[in-house]
Amino acid sequence: MRKIFLLLAALMLVGCVRTNKDEDNNANDQLALELDRSPLYVDITIPKDLIQVEGVPLEDTLAEASKSEDIEKIIDNNDGTISMSVSKEKHQELMESIQNSIEETSNKLIENKENSIVDIESLDDYKVFNIYVDPEKYGGLEFMNALLFYSKGMLYNYYNGDNNAEIIVKFINNETGQLIEEGSSKDLDKLEDEGDSKEDSPLVTVDQLPYSLEIEEPDSLGYVYGFVTFTNNSAYPITGFELTFHMKNKNEKAYFTTYDTVLPGEISPKFKTFSEENKEDMELIKVFIKARNDDGKDVLIYYDVKLDEYNVSVINF
């Protein structure tokens, strides 16, 4: 988020210097100007990480920012935050810049056919983002997109005067309107408190979740679907499971994904997606597992088949 602060840096370090008051202004003019000051400025408090530039002492950054005619005052609160009074005009420009950034990010995600996103709706001053997805493509890595909207939503609300805003990101089935998954920016705080928890070994391994792939005959339109089930032979509930295949003839990827909870000893319901006609043309390349550990936290497990390598993280999402 520190890099995002370049938006504000452009505002404050544009090279403007405070203009001197006309020495010929009479006392009445000065009094009127002082009385009108409040409505012309917006007071905000932000985390100092948003303004601190790596390698530059904070006091130097504050001193340089104070030279701008658009900054009436800027102080370090010595509690991890910075308070400033920004001209109403420049504050509006900044807010519009953040809004444009959110819109640009949303459009790029929607236009990118590699992911599952088909539409994005923002509500309540960017505190809620409804992300509508193609259920056939939706996969375990989608929460990375949630992080984008956490940061942008929090940035907007910091400068909008709401330092305690909770940003909610919802992934919604575009076909049925059913909620698939939901996360909160408050989870990031928990994650930071845990020191970005990592596990040296996976809680669950792929061999504990044997799967079965069955391919149906082409339907009346010529579409071919594959169906997958898996058995949970681990000691933990599985709350998310995805198999990524390379379809050799089509040179495309197929994602078999479910977020049904499968308890130890159970067999999952069937979940489907487009497929090749023959199993031999389906090459498994990645496995994603979302498991619930004994502490009630979700463990995200990524397995690269070709590298025979696991990547494991603990996250409250």
Side-chain angles (χ1 to χ4, degrees), residues 209 230 237-242 258-262 288-291:
L209 306 176
F230 72 91
I238 303 302
T239 58
F241 185 77
E242 177 178 282
T258 180
Y259 282 93
D260 288 323
T261 297
V262 181
F288 164 73
I289 303 166
K290 185 178 179 184

Side-chain angles (χ1 to χ4, degrees), residues 73-89:
K73 68 176 180 180
I74 181 168
I75 58 173
D76 182 357
N77 296 318
N78 296 315
D79 62 356
T81 65
I82 300 296
S83 291
M84 66 177 77
S85 292
V86 184
S87 71
K88 186 171 290 185
E89 179 182 359

Side-chain angles (χ1 to χ4, degrees), residues 275-291:
S275 172
E276 295 274 22
E277 290 191 41
N278 300 309
K279 289 184 182 180
E280 294 76 15
D281 297 322
M282 300 286 286
E283 178 189 11
L284 182 65
I285 55 176
K286 291 183 181 179
V287 180
F288 164 73
I289 303 166
K290 185 178 179 184

